[in-house]
Amino acid sequence: MTQSENDITVVHVMRHGEVHNPEGVLYGRLPGYHLSDLGRQMADRVADHLADRDVTHVVASPLERAQETAAPIAKTHGLDVASDERLIEAANVFQGKTFGVGDGALRKPGNWRHLTNPFRPSWGEPYVDQVVRMMAALGRARDAARGHEAVCVSHQLPIWIVRSFVERRRLWHDPRRRQCTLASLTSFTFRGDRIVSVGYSEPARDLVPPHLRAGAKPVKGAAKGYGA
């Protein structure tokens, strides 16, 4: 067995911090959505959390909120932020709209046809396609940080889908049950090229509004966390 086959590499896949989105738009892949002040605090908190780790590669989705979340982590380690399109948010036909039954896109019967198949899903990028691109992005980050650690900043749904695939769970799911809160880390440990464990942590949990934490019940009138 070669040394590379024995190397332990950790790829932390981070969800970006809170976004300034007062209108509650499902922003998806739209440009122009930046971190809020609280989101920047979350990014700084995770940068502090990872300051003593052996991080040699930082890469992010090309969307502003992901690049801004990655910046303080890269700065702490004296690195540049690379960009990987494969880490981008999942495509969604409701992008640019508010989403809900009484106050959003679901008021229009013409949109109901997009909700016919939750297993694919019919409203956006197929889960299988998300798995393929996210696994490729993890592999690229692993190779760039071989024997060390990498940080990939991405978005809630692709992170949860690739974790579900690795942990051999079904890909279709209840979005309210995703364990992937704002600024969380889903950490994949590789031995050589093989994933041997998956971990999860929330270094900025105390900064996350309670209604946006994993498993929280919706709160009427609270800000909405769309386009994660």
Side-chain angles (χ1 to χ4, degrees), residues 22 24 209-212 217-226:
H211 68 281
L212 294 180
K217 295 181 179 179
V219 177
K220 187 176 181 180
K224 300 173 183 178
Y226 289 129

Side-chain angles (χ1 to χ4, degrees), residues 124-163:
E125 182 182 10
Y127 293 138
V128 172
D129 291 356
Q130 294 179 54
V131 168
V132 170
R133 64 176 173 86
M134 288 295 288
M135 287 298 292
L138 264 63
R140 174 67 185 87
R142 175 204 63 215
D143 290 345
R146 181 80 65 173
H148 305 278
E149 300 185 29
V151 178
C152 302
V153 181
S154 186
H155 308 267
Q156 186 190 55
L157 179 55
I159 297 171
W160 181 248
I161 290 300
V162 74
R163 177 181 172 184

Side-chain angles (χ1 to χ4, degrees), residues 13 131 134-136 138 158-171 186-190 193-199:
V13 187
V131 168
M134 288 295 288
M135 287 298 292
L138 264 63
I159 297 171
W160 181 248
I161 290 300
V162 74
R163 177 181 172 184
S164 296
F165 172 77
V166 170
E167 295 183 331
R168 299 183 179 182
R169 288 194 302 274
R170 68 190 186 199
L171 301 184
T186 301
S187 302
F188 299 84
T189 299
F190 289 82
D193 292 344
R194 183 170 62 90
I195 296 174
V196 294
S197 68
V198 181

Side-chain angles (χ1 to χ4, degrees), residues 44-91:
D44 289 340
R45 173 70 63 79
V46 178
D48 290 343
H49 175 75
L50 295 173
D52 294 330
R53 303 297 291 261
D54 185 22
V55 175
T56 61
H57 181 66
V58 178
V59 61
S61 155
L63 296 173
E64 292 99 331
R65 59 192 186 269
Q67 292 282 319
E68 291 166 1
T69 298
I73 300 171
K75 182 178 179 180
T76 296
H77 294 276
L79 301 169
D80 294 325
V81 179
S83 183
D84 191 333
E85 288 275 355
R86 294 170 296 192
L87 294 171
I88 202 166
E89 175 64 287

Side-chain angles (χ1 to χ4, degrees), residues 19-27 33 94 96-100 103-105 222-227:
V19 174
H20 179 67
N21 181 25
E23 295 82 17
V25 172
L26 198 158
Y27 38 79
Y33 284 89
F94 296 109
K97 302 179 175 70
T98 55
F99 190 81
D103 62 348
K224 300 173 183 178
Y226 289 129

